[in-house]
């Protein structure tokens, strides 16, 4: 018995050590990025080997970033596109998940398989058809091509369906007995219970849309419409490593909203996974 407990302790220690090593490997590049952003001399030469405490510590790079008004425009563009895309994605995912979970209609399984199949199609395979469609509609170089395709969110529909599968059907039956329509049943009965899964979908959707690069690069040609990833890419392309400190300051500013959203909503992820039936 003692040997078994000792073996368990050793296994846990090895596991924790391995997790700490992996965490350091994952976090170290981000810490180095932040360190370089506070290093004024990094604009002349990137410190190597990497130093994680800048010497001297300076806000010079951030002052340069904010002196350039383009970052404010890029932030506003990213915020607008991300907010609209997240709203459409979450709304469509919750409604679709509810329909596939509680609805009774012909071809439900086939339609659900088709929705899941969209997760297997990479954006590169959809670039030409989407570009042709929006070009024919005269919507290129506007935010519409970036926002509209985000409505189809296969993973979100799948996750929402898994969640609603765990909610008793008796709630829907009771609402129908009281004369509630299907939409009223969803919005007044099921939607208030979907807080954890909604928070998880918001995090995943926000990260995906805020960091979207390839598709906006294709359809947004004007600099005034550039989002944060496009602005960062254009700045890096123009300056290369000659202004590494300023580039890293821009990169740090670009991930800051994602960190803020994650910090506020991350506690819902584990809860939603447990409630959605994905837990082992």
């Amino acid at each position: 018995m003692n040997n078994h407990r000792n073996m368990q302790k050793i296994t846990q220690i090895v596991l924790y050590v391995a997790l700490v090593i992996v965490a350091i490997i994952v976090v170290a590049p981000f810490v180095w990025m932040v360190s370089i952003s506070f290093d004024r001399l990094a604009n002349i030469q990137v410190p190597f080997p990497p130093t994680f405490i800048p010497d001297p510590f300076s806000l010079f790079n951030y002052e340069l970033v904010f002196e350039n008004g383009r970052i404010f425009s890029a932030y506003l563009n990213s915020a607008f596109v991300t907010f609209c895309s997240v709203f459409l994605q979450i709304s469509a995912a919750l409604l679709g998940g509810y329909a596939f979970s509680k609805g009774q209609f012909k071809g439900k399984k086939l339609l659900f398989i088709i929705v899941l199949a969209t997760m297997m199609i990479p954006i590169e395979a959809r670039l030409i058809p989407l570009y042709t469609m929006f070009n024919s509609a005269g919507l290129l170089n506007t935010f519409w091509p970036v926002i509209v395709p985000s409505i189809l969110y296969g993973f979100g529909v799948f996750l929402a369906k898994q969640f609603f599968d765990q909610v008793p059907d008796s709630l829907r039956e009771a609402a129908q007995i009281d004369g509630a329509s299907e939409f009223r049943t969803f919005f007044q009965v099921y939607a208030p219970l979907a807080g954890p899964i909604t928070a998880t979908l918001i995090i995943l959707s926000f990260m995906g849309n805020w960091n979207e690069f390839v598709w906006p690069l294709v359809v947004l040609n004007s600099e005034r419409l550039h989002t944060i990833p496009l602005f960062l890419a254009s700045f890096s392309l123009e300056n290369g490593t000659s202004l590494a400190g300023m580039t890293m300051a821009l990169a740090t500013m670009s991930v800051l909203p994602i960190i803020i959203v994650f910090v506020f909503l991350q506690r819902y992820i584990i809860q939603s996974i447990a409630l959605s039936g994905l837990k082992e």
Side-chain angles (χ1 to χ4, degrees), residues 182-209:
E182 203 68 68
F183 276 100
R184 185 178 178 184
T185 300
F186 170 77
F187 285 110
Q188 294 189 356
V189 178
Y190 283 86
L193 300 175
I197 196 67
T198 301
T200 301
L201 290 175
I202 288 174
I203 293 174
L204 298 176
S205 178
F206 185 91
M207 291 175 59
N209 286 287

Side-chain angles (χ1 to χ4, degrees), residues 1-20:
M1 190 69 176
N2 290 332
N3 291 335
H4 180 68
R5 289 180 178 176
N6 291 334
M7 209 49 199
Q8 281 186 329
K9 290 181 179 180
I10 294 174
T11 303
Q12 288 181 345
I13 292 173
V14 172
L15 179 62
Y16 290 147
V17 171
L19 290 175
V20 169

Side-chain angles (χ1 to χ4, degrees), residues 37 43 59-75 228 231-232 235 243-254:
S37 72
N43 290 321
L59 296 176
F60 176 75
N61 295 320
Y62 288 92
E63 292 173 359
L64 290 179
V65 166
F66 286 109
E67 282 181 2
N68 188 336
R70 285 179 58 193
I71 190 173
F72 295 105
S73 175
Y75 253 107
I228 285 291
F231 173 59
L232 179 58
F235 180 86
L243 294 176
M246 189 174 174
T247 303
M248 292 301 102
L250 284 170
T252 302
M253 293 296 298
S254 70

Side-chain angles (χ1 to χ4, degrees), residues 116-191:
L116 294 182
T118 61
M119 298 166 54
M120 307 175 191
I121 305 175
I123 183 61
E124 291 78 9
R126 292 178 284 159
L127 282 179
I128 295 177
L130 284 174
Y131 183 89
T132 303
M133 181 179 68
F134 285 108
N135 185 40
S136 300
L139 294 176
L140 291 181
N141 209 32
T142 67
F143 289 133
W144 288 108
V146 183
I147 296 173
V148 173
S150 64
I151 296 176
L152 185 57
Y153 188 27
F155 180 73
V157 174
F158 168 75
L159 207 60
K161 178 186 180 300
Q162 293 296 104
F163 175 84
F164 287 124
D165 283 344
Q166 308 304 312
V167 181
D169 294 340
S170 57
L171 295 176
R172 178 170 174 265
E173 295 169 357
Q176 289 178 335
I177 292 174
D178 290 338
S181 64
E182 203 68 68
F183 276 100
R184 185 178 178 184
T185 300
F186 170 77
F187 285 110
Q188 294 189 356
V189 178
Y190 283 86

